[in-house]
mmCIF file of all heavy atoms in Angstrom:
data_model
loop_
_atom_site.group_PDB
_atom_site.id
_atom_site.type_symbol
_atom_site.label_atom_id
_atom_site.label_comp_id
_atom_site.label_asym_id
_atom_site.label_seq_id
_atom_site.Cartn_x
_atom_site.Cartn_y
_atom_site.Cartn_z
ATOM 1 N N ILE H 68 136.997 190.717 47.332
ATOM 2 C CA ILE H 68 136.691 189.522 46.650
ATOM 3 C C ILE H 68 136.840 189.712 45.103
ATOM 4 O O ILE H 68 137.333 188.730 44.386
ATOM 5 C CB ILE H 68 135.129 189.105 46.876
ATOM 6 C CG1 ILE H 68 134.948 188.898 48.430
ATOM 7 C CG2 ILE H 68 134.656 187.997 46.082
ATOM 8 C CD1 ILE H 68 135.719 187.788 48.901
ATOM 9 N N LEU H 71 140.579 189.987 44.290
ATOM 10 C CA LEU H 71 141.120 188.641 44.382
ATOM 11 C C LEU H 71 140.787 187.756 43.230
ATOM 12 O O LEU H 71 141.719 187.021 42.725
ATOM 13 C CB LEU H 71 140.664 187.862 45.617
ATOM 14 C CG LEU H 71 141.105 186.501 45.831
ATOM 15 C CD1 LEU H 71 142.706 186.268 45.935
ATOM 16 C CD2 LEU H 71 140.452 185.832 47.046
ATOM 17 N N THR H 72 139.638 187.972 42.770
ATOM 18 C CA THR H 72 139.137 187.186 41.564
ATOM 19 C C THR H 72 139.979 187.531 40.324
ATOM 20 O O THR H 72 140.479 186.667 39.571
ATOM 21 C CB THR H 72 137.551 187.458 41.310
ATOM 22 O OG1 THR H 72 136.888 186.971 42.445
ATOM 23 C CG2 THR H 72 137.000 186.735 40.049
ATOM 24 N N LEU H 73 140.171 188.852 40.138
ATOM 25 C CA LEU H 73 140.965 189.273 38.980
ATOM 26 C C LEU H 73 142.369 188.827 39.097
ATOM 27 O O LEU H 73 143.027 188.346 38.106
ATOM 28 C CB LEU H 73 141.058 190.829 38.835
ATOM 29 C CG LEU H 73 139.615 191.513 38.517
ATOM 30 C CD1 LEU H 73 139.858 192.968 38.422
ATOM 31 C CD2 LEU H 73 139.044 190.930 37.298
ATOM 32 N N LEU H 75 143.408 186.043 40.701
ATOM 33 C CA LEU H 75 143.547 184.641 40.405
ATOM 34 C C LEU H 75 143.313 184.370 38.908
ATOM 35 O O LEU H 75 144.038 183.469 38.328
ATOM 36 C CB LEU H 75 142.360 183.923 41.196
ATOM 37 C CG LEU H 75 142.679 183.881 42.717
ATOM 38 C CD1 LEU H 75 141.379 183.301 43.518
ATOM 39 C CD2 LEU H 75 143.826 182.878 43.082
ATOM 40 N N GLN H 76 142.373 185.138 38.282
ATOM 41 C CA GLN H 76 142.266 184.975 36.833
ATOM 42 C C GLN H 76 143.604 185.223 36.108
ATOM 43 O O GLN H 76 143.961 184.497 35.190
ATOM 44 C CB GLN H 76 141.213 185.913 36.196
ATOM 45 C CG GLN H 76 139.843 185.625 36.616
ATOM 46 C CD GLN H 76 138.861 186.724 36.230
ATOM 47 O OE1 GLN H 76 139.259 187.811 35.910
ATOM 48 N NE2 GLN H 76 137.620 186.385 36.297
ATOM 49 N N PHE H 208 128.035 183.863 41.654
ATOM 50 C CA PHE H 208 128.981 182.973 40.942
ATOM 51 C C PHE H 208 129.762 182.099 41.926
ATOM 52 O O PHE H 208 130.159 180.980 41.660
ATOM 53 C CB PHE H 208 129.963 183.711 39.970
ATOM 54 C CG PHE H 208 130.963 184.501 40.661
ATOM 55 C CD1 PHE H 208 132.286 183.997 40.782
ATOM 56 C CD2 PHE H 208 130.809 185.762 41.226
ATOM 57 C CE1 PHE H 208 133.295 184.688 41.459
ATOM 58 C CE2 PHE H 208 131.862 186.401 41.777
ATOM 59 C CZ PHE H 208 133.120 185.905 41.968
ATOM 60 N N LEU H 209 130.000 182.591 43.181
ATOM 61 C CA LEU H 209 130.678 181.850 44.196
ATOM 62 C C LEU H 209 129.822 180.739 44.780
ATOM 63 O O LEU H 209 130.308 179.846 45.367
ATOM 64 C CB LEU H 209 131.096 182.743 45.316
ATOM 65 C CG LEU H 209 132.292 183.688 44.811
ATOM 66 C CD1 LEU H 209 132.608 184.738 45.844
ATOM 67 C CD2 LEU H 209 133.622 182.867 44.542
ATOM 68 N N GLY H 212 129.771 177.282 41.814
ATOM 69 C CA GLY H 212 130.957 176.786 41.235
ATOM 70 C C GLY H 212 131.816 177.590 40.392
ATOM 71 O O GLY H 212 132.540 177.071 39.439
ATOM 72 N N GLY H 213 131.754 178.901 40.656
ATOM 73 C CA GLY H 213 132.570 179.861 39.853
ATOM 74 C C GLY H 213 131.835 180.406 38.490
ATOM 75 O O GLY H 213 132.523 181.195 37.845
ATOM 76 N N ARG H 214 130.766 179.909 38.092
ATOM 77 C CA ARG H 214 130.114 180.319 36.926
ATOM 78 C C ARG H 214 129.051 181.308 37.189
ATOM 79 O O ARG H 214 128.185 181.202 38.150
ATOM 80 C CB ARG H 214 129.532 179.185 36.200
ATOM 81 C CG ARG H 214 130.493 178.333 35.317
ATOM 82 C CD ARG H 214 129.901 177.302 34.469
ATOM 83 N NE ARG H 214 128.981 177.888 33.461
ATOM 84 C CZ ARG H 214 127.697 177.621 33.249
ATOM 85 N NH1 ARG H 214 127.092 176.702 33.887
ATOM 86 N NH2 ARG H 214 127.072 178.173 32.263
ATOM 87 N N ASP H 220 129.537 182.983 32.055
ATOM 88 C CA ASP H 220 130.955 183.155 32.033
ATOM 89 C C ASP H 220 131.478 182.301 33.263
ATOM 90 O O ASP H 220 130.958 182.203 34.295
ATOM 91 C CB ASP H 220 131.404 184.548 32.570
ATOM 92 C CG ASP H 220 131.004 185.615 31.619
ATOM 93 O OD1 ASP H 220 130.583 185.304 30.464
ATOM 94 O OD2 ASP H 220 130.981 186.912 31.970
ATOM 95 N N THR H 221 132.660 181.655 32.881
ATOM 96 C CA THR H 221 133.381 180.946 34.039
ATOM 97 C C THR H 221 134.269 182.060 34.514
ATOM 98 O O THR H 221 135.282 182.415 33.995
ATOM 99 C CB THR H 221 134.235 179.821 33.479
ATOM 100 O OG1 THR H 221 133.327 178.886 32.801
ATOM 101 C CG2 THR H 221 135.023 179.083 34.515
ATOM 102 N N VAL H 222 133.872 182.558 35.764
ATOM 103 C CA VAL H 222 134.581 183.611 36.350
ATOM 104 C C VAL H 222 135.814 183.080 37.022
ATOM 105 O O VAL H 222 136.901 183.559 36.996
ATOM 106 C CB VAL H 222 133.715 184.352 37.347
ATOM 107 C CG1 VAL H 222 134.407 185.549 37.958
ATOM 108 C CG2 VAL H 222 132.361 184.728 36.781
ATOM 109 N N LEU H 223 135.588 181.927 37.845
ATOM 110 C CA LEU H 223 136.694 181.161 38.363
ATOM 111 C C LEU H 223 136.422 179.660 38.189
ATOM 112 O O LEU H 223 135.257 179.363 37.877
ATOM 113 C CB LEU H 223 136.784 181.421 39.916
ATOM 114 C CG LEU H 223 137.074 182.833 40.457
ATOM 115 C CD1 LEU H 223 136.898 182.932 41.912
ATOM 116 C CD2 LEU H 223 138.583 183.172 40.047
ATOM 117 N N SER H 224 137.436 178.921 38.180
ATOM 118 C CA SER H 224 137.156 177.437 38.081
ATOM 119 C C SER H 224 136.429 177.060 39.358
ATOM 120 O O SER H 224 136.433 177.675 40.398
ATOM 121 C CB SER H 224 138.555 176.674 37.970
ATOM 122 O OG SER H 224 139.191 176.787 39.162
ATOM 123 N N ALA H 225 135.759 175.892 39.277
ATOM 124 C CA ALA H 225 135.084 175.287 40.471
ATOM 125 C C ALA H 225 136.121 175.266 41.598
ATOM 126 O O ALA H 225 135.750 175.549 42.775
ATOM 127 C CB ALA H 225 134.461 174.003 40.111
ATOM 128 N N ASP H 226 137.312 174.777 41.279
ATOM 129 C CA ASP H 226 138.303 174.678 42.359
ATOM 130 C C ASP H 226 138.609 175.993 42.922
ATOM 131 O O ASP H 226 138.776 176.133 44.211
ATOM 132 C CB ASP H 226 139.500 173.994 41.678
ATOM 133 C CG ASP H 226 140.617 173.705 42.727
ATOM 134 O OD1 ASP H 226 140.340 172.756 43.450
ATOM 135 O OD2 ASP H 226 141.683 174.280 42.642
ATOM 136 N N GLN H 227 138.857 176.990 42.247
ATOM 137 C CA GLN H 227 139.138 178.416 42.732
ATOM 138 C C GLN H 227 138.050 178.907 43.579
ATOM 139 O O GLN H 227 138.215 179.385 44.600
ATOM 140 C CB GLN H 227 139.432 179.275 41.564
ATOM 141 C CG GLN H 227 140.851 179.011 40.946
ATOM 142 C CD GLN H 227 141.000 179.882 39.642
ATOM 143 O OE1 GLN H 227 140.116 180.113 38.812
ATOM 144 N NE2 GLN H 227 142.290 180.356 39.456
ATOM 145 N N ALA H 228 136.812 178.629 43.066
ATOM 146 C CA ALA H 228 135.639 179.289 43.815
ATOM 147 C C ALA H 228 135.484 178.616 45.204
ATOM 148 O O ALA H 228 135.321 179.218 46.185
ATOM 149 C CB ALA H 228 134.302 179.026 42.907
ATOM 150 N N LYS H 229 135.782 177.263 45.116
ATOM 151 C CA LYS H 229 135.819 176.558 46.446
ATOM 152 C C LYS H 229 136.778 177.220 47.439
ATOM 153 O O LYS H 229 136.518 177.404 48.593
ATOM 154 C CB LYS H 229 136.061 175.059 46.220
ATOM 155 C CG LYS H 229 136.154 174.257 47.486
ATOM 156 C CD LYS H 229 136.534 172.855 47.111
ATOM 157 C CE LYS H 229 138.064 172.667 47.003
ATOM 158 N NZ LYS H 229 138.504 171.150 46.797
ATOM 159 N N VAL H 231 138.138 180.238 47.234
ATOM 160 C CA VAL H 231 137.754 181.666 47.723
ATOM 161 C C VAL H 231 136.686 181.520 48.840
ATOM 162 O O VAL H 231 136.749 182.329 49.871
ATOM 163 C CB VAL H 231 137.175 182.526 46.530
ATOM 164 C CG1 VAL H 231 136.582 183.869 46.962
ATOM 165 C CG2 VAL H 231 138.330 182.699 45.516
#
Side-chain angles (χ1 to χ4, degrees):
I68 297 299
L71 175 62
T72 296
L73 294 184
L75 288 172
Q76 288 170 349
F208 74 98
L209 289 169
R214 277 189 66 232
D220 295 345
T221 298
V222 185
L223 292 174
S224 69
D226 186 67
Q227 288 173 320
K229 178 181 82 175
V231 170

